[in-house]
Amino acid sequence: MNTNNSPRLIGRKEAAAYCGISPTCFSMWVASHKMPSAIPGTRKWDKRAIDAKLDEISGLDVREKQAETGLQKWRRERDEKRRAAREAR
């Protein structure tokens, strides 16, 4: 949730400033898929999408921050056992 009263959707110049790069560099990053594209039908970028891409290219995995649920743990362990059984054949 956006609690600082700044808009979540921002233009190219604001998105570039948010990332600490020039607008030209931001456009190059969008073209090379380092940054997300603008929201379809707009010239606006979502700060959360930018944050997610920055996390990804920085090597941070957002999923690691979330606790594994009991069901997810069970599925992971089940899949690991199945994989081990297949490899043992």
Side-chain angles (χ1 to χ4, degrees):
M1 179 168 244
N2 190 356
T3 59
N4 65 2
N5 293 330
S6 66
R8 181 171 160 186
L9 299 181
I10 53 178
R12 183 177 72 99
K13 288 181 183 178
E14 293 85 4
Y18 183 71
C19 294
I21 58 177
S22 72
T24 302
C25 183
F26 184 80
S27 293
M28 290 172 34
W29 283 18
V30 170
S32 65
H33 305 289
K34 286 183 183 176
M35 283 291 115
S37 298
I39 294 173
T42 73
R43 292 182 180 179
K44 299 288 185 180
W45 279 261
D46 184 335
K47 283 184 181 178
R48 289 187 193 170
I50 292 171
D51 288 340
K53 278 304 246 183
L54 288 171
D55 285 350
E56 181 183 319
I57 65 175
S58 297
L60 302 175
D61 190 352
V62 176
R63 289 171 290 185
E64 288 178 358
K65 295 178 186 176
Q66 298 172 347
E68 184 177 50
T69 67
L71 178 60
Q72 290 169 330
K73 180 180 177 187
W74 176 83
R75 285 179 175 164
R76 180 181 48 78
E77 290 173 350
R78 177 199 62 188
D79 293 344
E80 288 170 357
K81 288 176 185 175
R82 285 180 177 175
R83 222 177 343 250
R86 277 193 301 257
E87 291 172 1
R89 290 182 203 167

